[in-house]
Amino acid sequence: MLLYLTDYLSQHYSGFNLFGYLTFRAILSALTALSISLLVGPLMIRHLSIRQIGQQVRDLGPETHLLKAGTPTMGGALILIAICLSTLLWSRLDNYYVWVVLGVTLAFGTIGFVDDYRKLILQDSQGISVKAKLFWQSAAAITAALVLYYNAQDPAIEHALLIPFFKDLLIPLGGFYLVFTYLVIVGTSNAVNLTDGLDGLAIMPCVLVAGALGIFAYASGNAVFANYLGIPHIAGSGEMMVFCASLAGAGLGFLWFNTYPAQVFMGDIGALALGAAIGVVAVIVRQELILLLMGGVFVIETVSVILQVASFKLTGKRLFRMAPLHHHYELKGWAEPKVIVRFWIITVILVLIGLSSLKIR
Ligand code: 57M
């Protein structure tokens, strides 16, 4: 939004040309979102506490979690406000990718809000049913997939699966693009949701993966860099760097309060929205397989649940002490911060490997 002003002012004062640079706007976007999170965080925590919007903790989980009962949750609302304000301020609003990614983020955030609201405010422990949650997630994801499919500027690239670490290796998806895109968005959203089970465990990998996707967006959106790196040029995708920067900034600001011992949880409103946001950005910049790699912690957590349920149903025995995997290590005696930081370190390693695919091909 501010770009309309700075574009005008730059005609009279050359210094305002700075705001035309994507990298500068991304830095401002991150700092704006970080500032909003840090400044509004305490007010939000106080508001949630006064409204007694506190986490209910099931007694099935590790005993250490019982102490967490009553921790204010739905803090993800602050993350979404910071992301939306910062993105609207610093991105080019005539770029349709910006509206697609904001629409998906807010749609999944709304689904999470309704679930949290029912559980925490209406005291309905079930929240919205699994079927209803999946239905609305599917509606949002399929809508985004259709919009991206029919607005593709270069279908040969934008409807193909990019194979990382190989130069110009694209597999045309055709109509399967819609199914694949749906799976990426809904899968990432629910994987982040499952991962959000320890203080800061989900938000830091979201910050790291979003930051890396921002770099991919910058490279893909720049014809010269895309050509030099041997990745597809996707005109306009560079603006995703501004969105990713706002997600990273808002996430770091939230982590200030969510770090162990957490003063606030993000709730489904945050977890579902952040996962969907990361998923749709990966689709826009054609880096779904790199997302699978960099978001490996989300994948491992989800697979651990699938394996645990399958094992229990088939053999009556559990593979892990408890799933998702972070609970398994807690029950092995690892202190919560140890589990969290080690999962963060694994994410840093996976993100660095993912970024290396920009050069190794
Ligand atoms: C999302 N929610 C946390 C918080 C957060 C099928 C099964 C695997 C489903 C899964 C499940 O219920 N997942 C829901 C995970 C919950 O966090 C809230 O939920 C929001 C995210 N959606 O923002 O509001 C608890 O996580 C802890 N927490 C923190 N710090 C944070 O920053 O400590 C969260 C954020 C919070 C708090 O204790 O209450 C969650 O874990 O539910 N179920 C599970 O994950 C359960 N696993 C399980 O049942 N495993 C079984 C089978 C089904 C695989 C098994 O291993 O045999 C575990 N979770 C709980 N209790 N709460 C274990 C039992």
Side-chain angles (χ1 to χ4, degrees):
M1 192 183 311
L2 285 179
L3 282 186
Y4 294 113
L5 175 63
T6 55
D7 284 349
Y8 169 74
L9 292 173
S10 63
Q11 296 166 20
H12 305 283
Y13 308 100
S14 59
F16 283 95
N17 286 320
L18 204 52
F19 290 91
Y21 289 95
L22 192 52
T23 47
F24 185 67
R25 288 190 287 121
I27 291 166
L28 290 175
S29 179
L31 291 174
T32 304
L34 178 61
S35 305
I36 294 170
S37 287
L38 288 176
L39 292 172
V40 179
L43 296 175
M44 177 204 60
I45 292 168
R46 196 174 306 122
H47 172 75
L48 292 171
S49 300
I50 291 166
R51 292 283 308 271
Q52 296 188 324
I53 304 175
Q55 185 67 49
Q56 297 149 348
V57 176
R58 279 170 286 175
D59 52 14
L60 288 172
E63 283 184 16
T64 49
H65 284 239
L66 296 175
L67 296 173
K68 297 169 179 271
T71 304
T73 188
M74 293 178 74
L78 173 63
I79 301 173
L80 298 188
I81 290 168
I83 288 173
C84 290
L85 284 178
S86 191
T87 300
L88 290 172
L89 275 175
W90 297 113
S91 68
R92 290 202 174 281
L93 301 185
D94 58 353
N95 180 300
Y96 99 102
Y97 290 127
V98 170
W99 296 107
V100 170
V101 73
L102 286 178
V104 168
T105 303
L106 290 176
F108 277 76
T110 303
I111 296 166
F113 169 77
V114 172
D115 195 28
D116 287 335
Y117 186 86
R118 286 198 175 185
K119 282 178 187 168
L120 300 161
I121 295 167
L122 300 182
Q123 299 293 315
D124 167 7
S125 61
Q126 294 308 311
I128 54 178
S129 69
V130 174
K131 280 184 182 173
K133 191 184 274 191
L134 193 56
F135 171 80
W136 289 112
Q137 288 177 346
S138 303
I142 291 167
T143 302
L146 288 167
V147 167
L148 290 169
Y149 185 81
Y150 287 108
N151 284 282
Q153 302 158 74
D154 185 349
I157 290 176
E158 294 175 58
H159 293 173
L161 177 65
L162 179 72
I163 306 301
F165 300 107
F166 291 91
K167 201 174 181 70
D168 294 330
L169 181 50
L170 297 161
I171 300 176
L173 294 174
F176 185 69
Y177 168 92
L178 297 172
V179 175
F180 188 66
T181 297
Y182 161 79
L183 293 173
V184 169
I185 296 172
V186 173
T188 312
S189 178
N190 287 291
V192 171
N193 190 44
L194 278 176
T195 305
D196 191 31
L198 296 182
D199 298 352
L201 182 65
I203 191 63
M204 188 52 154
C206 284
V207 166
L208 293 167
V209 171
L213 286 174
I215 294 169
F216 278 99
Y218 181 71
S220 301
N222 183 304
V224 174
F225 283 162
N227 183 46
Y228 166 71
L229 293 168
I231 59 175
H233 170 48
I234 301 156
S237 62
E239 280 305 304
M240 291 299 92
M241 187 184 194
V242 176
F243 174 82
C244 289
S246 74
L247 196 160
L252 282 176
F254 176 75
L255 181 61
W256 185 274
F257 307 102
N258 181 238
T259 189
Y260 182 85
Q263 296 167 262
V264 65
F265 298 151
M266 69 171 78
D268 285 29
I269 180 174
L272 292 177
L274 291 176
I278 287 169
V280 72
V281 169
V283 168
I284 290 169
V285 301
R286 310 309 305 136
Q287 295 292 349
E288 297 95 338
L289 294 184
I290 283 296
L291 172 62
L292 203 62
L293 169 65
M294 299 196 298
V297 159
F298 302 133
V299 174
I300 293 166
E301 292 266 62
T302 304
V303 168
S304 71
V305 169
I306 295 167
L307 292 176
Q308 179 85 323
V309 173
S311 168
F312 192 73
K313 283 186 175 177
L314 292 172
T315 67
K317 292 179 182 170
R318 286 182 165 82
L319 275 179
F320 307 99
R321 294 181 186 211
M322 184 172 289
L325 193 60
H326 56 260
H327 287 317
H328 172 77
Y329 288 109
E330 276 194 296
L331 296 181
K332 276 190 76 172
W334 291 21
E336 183 172 347
K338 181 170 281 193
V339 180
I340 297 161
V341 173
R342 286 180 172 177
F343 276 41
W344 287 356
I345 292 169
I346 291 167
T347 302
V348 170
I349 294 167
L350 294 173
V351 163
L352 291 175
I353 295 171
L355 287 171
S356 73
S357 72
L358 282 170
K359 285 302 288 179
I360 304 171
R361 54 180 59 246

